[in-house]
Amino acid sequence: MTRRIRTPWEVFIRPRRGLSHQHVGSVHGADAEMALANARDLYARRGDPVSIWVVPSEAVRASSPAEKDPLFANAADKPYRYPEFFVTLHEDGDEQH
Amino acid sequence: MDDEGVVRLDAEYDEARLSAHFEALLAAGERIEPRDWMPEGYRRMLLRQIAQHAHSEIIGMQPEGAWLTRAPTLHRKAVLLAKVQDEAGHGLYLYAAAETLGVSRAELLDALHSGHQRYAATFNHPALTWADAGAIAWLTDGAAVVNQVPLCQTSYGPYARAMRRVCQEEAFHVRQGYDMLHALCQGTPQQKEMAQDAVNRWWLPAVALMFGPPDTVAGGADARTAAMGAAVTRRSMAWGIKRHTNDELRQRFVDQVVPQAERLGLTLPDPGIRWNEERGHYDFGPIDWRVFRDSLGDGSLVARQRLAHRVAAHEDGAWVREAVDAHAAGGGDWREAA
């Protein structure tokens, strides 16, 4: 029998309405209900969070740090994606709107 | 050159390149994250520190936990329960951080139970009276905060994030402990005497053991101990794990706590404590590390009780783990439920 109790889950909490769920850490749990209960005990002892997500850690497909350049380097050679690349809308610069 | 030689050279080249990248990240003040390449020594030093830290949190539940059923009021009991529950939570944050370094929680607990990994020897002192619960929280948690605030900036991301959560909660621990002693100091002469007695016994464990051995000449210990401590600290600081020497943090703690003790009307049991105008710090007496270490061997009665209690709690929980596993095997799996 596999030791399911040791299955790790990633925990995401929405700290208040209007904000996204944010990753806060991980817990162990045999199933989603247990992971949710553990996440509540561990990460919601204070504050007034709105909701919790738990996601099996193995379900997360992560990019490798070695892939950083091929994945994210496009910003460096495409400065025209930023407004600062272009002529300002006012004589004095961007401060006035 | 044969193929093996080429492969070996490639591996050496890769390692040098990875190592240079790692050092560049540290130099830029960036955090190292779990999937980054890291030198084996860095991983080992981190694992040792985080594991010892996690173990200290859960063993540290015992001295105060023993007073839960004997708290003088329902309010104090509720507060202490919340405090001890936080310590369990701190242990879990730290075990989760350690797991990102490729060990399982079960392996870490085995290492604690078998004595292969350590916890802070501070907790091998008994909590003899109700005032001890206050003195522990004020002095040892207070010392822990001084250690942990810089660790919020430590170079390993998961450890730094765990420490930020811990630090947010630790302030409550210190305040409620100080509040307990404050109440006793406003009470009868016997109550104040009990507070003084507890502070007498927890001062040295806090100022000495919570910060570790001396690692500068200012540590005041024999040169050999200080030199050994300094070598470890230098390595740790070069890797951005520690940010300050043990002795620097110890001084910071003394500077914070002396005025707090004065406000309580209690005396810290060190006749060497006095304000040094020239240094802008409080002087304090040298710690005799050799005598102190000898008195705290693993074989002490309380040390054996702490570990035996921990192992018994783990074994008593075996049926819960088995029941949960059986439940999971019977359809608790997340994919089947979906």
Side-chain angles (χ1 to χ4, degrees):
Chain A
M1 188 173 61
T2 53
R3 300 303 301 267
R4 297 270 179 202
I5 194 170
R6 291 170 194 170
T7 303
W9 300 69
E10 299 305 316
V11 181
F12 299 80
I13 286 189
R14 187 197 296 284
R16 60 175 187 273
R17 292 184 179 281
L19 296 180
S20 311
H21 284 80
Q22 290 160 7
H23 185 246
V24 292
S26 61
V27 292
H28 287 193
D31 60 16
E33 286 310 307
M34 189 178 178
L36 206 53
N38 286 344
R40 177 251 177 215
D41 285 350
L42 190 57
Y43 293 105
R45 286 198 304 281
R46 290 182 181 78
D48 189 19
V50 181
S51 84
I52 303 179
W53 289 348
V54 288
V55 179
S57 301
E58 66 183 48
V60 176
R61 168 71 172 91
S63 64
S64 155
E67 294 173 308
K68 186 179 182 306
D69 277 353
L71 281 178
F72 308 121
N74 62 352
D77 62 350
K78 295 184 181 64
Y80 49 82
R81 290 188 168 182
Y82 297 94
E84 296 77 27
F85 182 75
F86 302 97
V87 68
T88 58
L89 298 176
H90 304 277
E91 288 289 337
D92 308 344
D94 286 331
E95 298 307 314
Q96 294 176 5
H97 293 283
Chain B
M1 187 183 285
D2 59 279
D3 286 355
E4 268 179 39
V6 173
V7 169
R8 199 176 59 241
L9 275 182
D10 278 356
E12 280 169 13
Y13 172 75
D14 279 351
E15 171 124 2
R17 198 174 48 84
L18 290 165
S19 177
H21 180 63
F22 172 84
E23 294 294 339
L25 284 175
L26 286 184
E30 296 272 3
R31 300 287 172 272
I32 306 300
E33 294 295 344
R35 301 189 66 201
D36 287 330
W37 181 90
M38 60 186 80
E40 188 51 29
Y42 177 80
R43 199 188 81 92
R44 271 203 311 272
M45 182 178 268
L46 265 178
L47 194 55
R48 184 170 171 274
Q49 179 167 335
I50 300 174
Q52 170 165 348
H53 198 157
H55 299 330
S56 302
E57 297 284 357
I58 64 167
I59 294 286
M61 295 165 73
Q62 291 186 32
E64 287 159 289
W67 282 95
L68 283 171
T69 56
R70 293 172 287 174
T73 67
L74 192 55
H75 167 68
R76 293 287 182 195
K77 182 174 182 165
V79 170
L80 189 57
L81 200 54
K83 198 264 184 189
V84 173
Q85 191 190 20
D86 276 353
E87 305 296 2
H90 295 179
L92 288 172
Y93 300 149
L94 288 158
Y95 284 122
E99 282 179 301
T100 64
L101 292 165
V103 292
S104 72
R105 194 177 307 171
E107 286 172 316
L108 293 168
L109 288 176
D110 284 347
L112 169 64
H113 298 162
S114 65
H116 283 94
Q117 284 174 352
R118 322 284 297 228
Y119 56 89
T122 312
F123 302 114
N124 286 340
H125 292 80
L128 300 178
T129 70
W130 168 248
D132 285 47
I136 292 170
W138 173 43
L139 294 174
T140 68
D141 289 56
V145 173
V146 172
N147 272 321
Q148 287 165 356
V149 166
L151 285 175
C152 295
Q153 305 299 324
T154 194
S155 61
Y156 187 57
Y159 190 27
R161 291 190 283 276
M163 292 322 301
R164 280 200 284 276
R165 297 197 79 85
V166 168
C167 283
Q168 283 168 5
E169 300 178 344
E170 207 77 54
F172 146 65
H173 298 182
V174 179
R175 285 279 286 271
Q176 65 86 32
Y178 191 71
D179 190 271
M180 279 166 63
L181 293 179
H182 189 259
L184 290 173
C185 290
Q186 307 283 308
T188 64
Q190 288 90 341
Q191 285 175 319
K192 187 164 182 184
E193 199 178 310
M194 183 167 76
Q196 180 66 61
D197 173 61
V199 167
N200 288 348
R201 285 179 289 104
W202 285 94
W203 168 249
L204 205 51
V207 77
L209 296 176
M210 291 301 285
F211 295 96
D215 52 1
T216 63
V217 182
D222 60 285
R224 207 172 67 92
T225 309
M228 273 164 48
V232 176
T233 294
R234 263 199 309 276
R235 187 64 266 175
S236 180
M237 286 173 74
W239 274 329
I241 298 174
K242 278 168 66 161
R243 300 276 172 184
H244 308 276
T245 64
N246 295 347
D247 289 324
E248 191 181 347
L249 293 171
R250 198 185 331 270
Q251 178 71 61
R252 194 177 290 182
F253 171 68
V254 172
D255 288 347
Q256 281 181 13
V257 140
V258 170
Q260 293 171 2
E262 282 169 3
R263 180 161 171 247
L264 291 175
L266 296 179
T267 309
L268 296 173
D270 177 354
I273 290 178
R274 72 176 57 82
W275 178 250
N276 184 325
E277 190 68 48
E278 200 177 312
R279 291 201 307 129
H281 292 288
Y282 284 95
D283 288 338
F284 55 102
I287 297 157
D288 188 340
W289 286 90
R290 208 152 29 93
V291 170
F292 207 48
R293 251 197 319 260
D294 291 349
S295 71
L296 279 168
D298 292 336
S300 83
L301 177 64
V302 180
R304 277 182 283 132
Q305 282 173 341
R306 296 280 185 247
L307 209 52
H309 186 82
R310 174 72 202 105
V311 171
H314 188 71
E315 286 171 359
D316 287 349
W319 71 272
V320 178
R321 291 189 292 278
E322 283 161 19
V324 168
D325 286 341
H327 170 75
D333 191 284
W334 61 273
R335 272 158 307 207
E336 290 165 30

